[in-house]
């Protein structure tokens, strides 16, 4: 895969004109392995015992009712592999078993329904509060979030997890409580992360023009939706993330660490293929008829080929 880099000075332009920054969680601030190998298994391993212990809790009953209504609705719509949950007149054990089957079925299918995320959030809350789980962040995330907040950027989270789960992760992170750096949180309640309408709604709620908002994610489909809504977006290249295509690398700004948002004049190799601002990169002004060497010409062509995805 050919490297298509731009200078550290040009890389700094990613934050020029930006007032708000929205971060995804999984694969962006937090290793995918933490979610896949710790958070999700914690739910499946402790679900039945947790339901038995918390069955009469009002929030738990509300969550069970939501899962029940969801399953009934999907059954009527002839959705495949729906696990129904019996009504309140059924025995506690029958309800618990059905909820366990329903939740595990949804998780096996990697579904991201609001009903599922709400129950997961309740379980993770107990896990965080009992110190059985601590939110994992990439080492560059906490110091950069603090720096960005101190410099006046408004920071937000947009994740498929519930808002409660988002707050829990950052409140109980491996770098301490970071919730004070965020101005707000968004979940799938506002819409799908691959729908441009969701980002337009977020821009309205934030109160800034879309072009003043930068969205950081590991998913090209999410970055595309944000850019379609008028935002700027950058893709994170993190350990464990899916490999990006040549098209992804050319279309979007791609960084490995949050501190690369500012560029790095001391180590230009750390800058990853920054795209232009909603347009093609400018041609080299000094690319005249004089042939000083193939290197200058090659650099001009590489810059010209970088698309403006954000």
């Amino acid at each position: 895969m050919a490297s298509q880099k731009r200078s550290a000075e040009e890389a700094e332009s990613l934050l020029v004109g930006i007032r708000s920054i929205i971060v995804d969680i999984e694969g962006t601030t937090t290793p995918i392995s933490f979610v896949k190998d710790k958070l999700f298994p914690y739910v499946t391993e402790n679900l039945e015992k947790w339901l038995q212990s918390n069955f009469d809790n009002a929030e738990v009953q509300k969550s069970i009712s939501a899962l029940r209504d969801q399953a009934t609705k999907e059954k009527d719509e002839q959705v495949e592999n729906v696990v129904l949950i019996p009504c309140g007149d059924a025995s506690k054990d029958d309800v618990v078993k059905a909820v366990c089957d329903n939740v595990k079925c949804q998780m096996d299918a990697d579904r991201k329904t609001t009903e599922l995320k709400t129950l997961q959030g309740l379980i993770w809350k107990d896990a965080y509060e009992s110190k059985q789980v601590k939110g994992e962040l990439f080492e560059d995330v906490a110091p950069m979030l603090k720096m960005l907040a101190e410099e006046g950027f408004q920071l937000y989270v947009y994740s498929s997890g519930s808002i409660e789960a988002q707050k829990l992760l950052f409140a109980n992170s491996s770098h301490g409580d970071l919730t004070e750096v965020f101005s707000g949180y968004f979940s799938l309640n506002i819409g799908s992360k691959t729908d441009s309408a969701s980002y337009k709604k977020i821009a309205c709620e934030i109160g800034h023009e879309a072009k003043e908002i930068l969205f950081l994610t590991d998913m090209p489909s999410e970055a595309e939706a944000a850019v379609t809504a008028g935002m700027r977006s950058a893709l994170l290249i993190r350990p464990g993330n899916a490999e990006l295509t040549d098209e992804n690398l050319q279309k979007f700004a791609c960084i490995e660490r949050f501190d690369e948002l500012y560029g790095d004049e001391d180590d230009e190799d750390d800058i990853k293929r920054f795209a232009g601002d909603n347009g093609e990169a400018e041609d080299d002004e000094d690319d005249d008829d004089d042939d000083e060497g193939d290197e200058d010409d090659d650099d001009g062509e590489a810059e010209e080929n970088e698309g403006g995805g954000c």
Side-chain angles (χ1 to χ4, degrees):
M1 184 179 295
S3 175
Q4 298 183 19
K5 301 174 182 175
R6 294 175 68 181
S7 71
E9 291 179 357
E10 289 176 302
E12 289 183 332
S13 69
L14 194 60
L15 290 178
V16 172
I18 295 299
R19 299 175 64 186
S20 296
I21 301 172
I22 306 170
V23 298
D24 174 41
I25 291 181
E26 187 177 355
T28 300
T29 65
T30 300
I32 288 177
S33 58
F34 171 67
V35 179
K36 299 292 186 184
D37 301 336
K38 292 187 178 180
L39 284 186
F40 285 176
Y42 185 90
V43 171
T44 55
E45 292 168 7
N46 295 277
L47 180 58
E48 183 175 2
K49 180 180 179 181
W50 184 88
L51 284 171
Q52 290 285 357
S53 300
N54 297 277
F55 189 79
D56 294 326
N57 180 283
E59 282 190 288
V60 176
Q61 280 297 312
K62 182 178 178 180
S63 181
I64 291 174
S65 294
L67 285 167
R68 180 185 294 116
D69 293 343
Q70 175 206 8
T72 301
K73 180 175 180 291
E74 291 183 345
K75 191 71 173 180
D76 292 341
E77 296 171 348
Q78 298 184 332
V79 176
E80 294 183 358
N81 301 320
V82 174
V83 178
L84 295 175
I85 299 172
C87 295
D89 56 354
S91 69
K92 174 181 175 179
D93 288 343
D94 287 344
V95 174
V96 167
K97 181 181 183 306
V99 172
C100 287
D101 291 343
N102 179 292
V103 168
K104 290 177 180 178
C105 182
Q106 290 199 60
M107 291 180 66
D108 287 345
D110 196 26
R111 298 193 64 187
K112 303 182 186 299
T113 64
T114 299
E115 294 82 3
L116 172 64
K117 293 299 180 182
T118 299
L119 183 64
Q120 287 174 327
L122 292 174
I123 297 173
W124 290 329
K125 179 180 179 181
D126 284 354
Y128 282 118
E129 290 179 349
S130 63
K131 308 300 182 184
Q132 296 183 65
V133 172
K134 186 177 289 289
E136 292 183 16
L137 302 175
F138 290 108
E139 63 177 12
D140 58 285
V141 171
M144 284 305 303
L145 289 178
K146 292 177 181 178
M147 180 184 295
L148 290 165
E150 288 173 358
E151 292 186 357
F153 292 98
Q154 292 185 356
L155 305 179
Y156 297 86
V157 181
Y158 182 24
S159 172
S160 59
S162 68
I163 289 177
E164 176 68 16
Q166 296 173 26
K167 291 180 178 179
L168 285 168
L169 188 151
F170 288 107
N172 300 275
S173 83
S174 50
H175 295 265
D177 187 349
L178 297 174
T179 52
E180 64 180 13
V181 306
F182 293 107
S183 298
Y185 304 81
F186 299 98
S187 69
L188 294 183
N189 283 337
I190 204 159
S192 168
K193 295 179 72 181
T194 57
D195 185 352
S196 63
S198 303
Y199 298 88
K200 292 177 182 178
K201 292 178 184 177
I202 289 175
C204 287
E205 291 207 15
I206 289 176
H208 291 160
E209 292 186 51
K211 66 181 180 180
E212 299 175 316
I213 302 171
L214 173 66
F215 177 52
L216 304 178
T217 179
D218 64 311
M219 299 295 293
S221 58
E222 296 176 3
E224 184 68 42
V227 169
T228 300
M231 292 185 184
R232 297 175 67 184
S233 187
L235 292 174
L236 271 296
I237 303 173
R238 299 286 201 183
N241 288 5
E243 186 174 351
L244 299 176
T245 66
D246 287 338
E247 181 182 359
N248 299 150
L249 294 169
Q250 294 173 27
K251 190 171 187 179
F252 299 103
C254 300
I255 59 176
E256 293 180 340
R257 299 169 54 88
F258 277 13
D259 46 19
E260 289 179 12
L261 292 170
Y262 290 98
D264 188 346
E265 294 180 359
D266 294 325
D267 188 358
E268 187 178 331
D269 286 340
D270 281 346
I271 308 302
K272 300 292 181 181
R273 294 164 289 278
F274 278 82
D277 295 336
N278 294 316
E280 295 293 321
E282 293 182 1
D283 293 335
D284 192 339
E285 292 180 358
D286 296 328
D287 191 7
D288 299 323
D289 292 333
D290 66 37
D291 294 325
E292 275 195 3
D294 291 339
E295 285 187 2
D296 288 343
D297 291 337
D298 290 343
D299 288 345
E301 290 176 7
E303 245 185 311
E304 186 175 356
N305 288 335
E306 289 186 77
C310 52

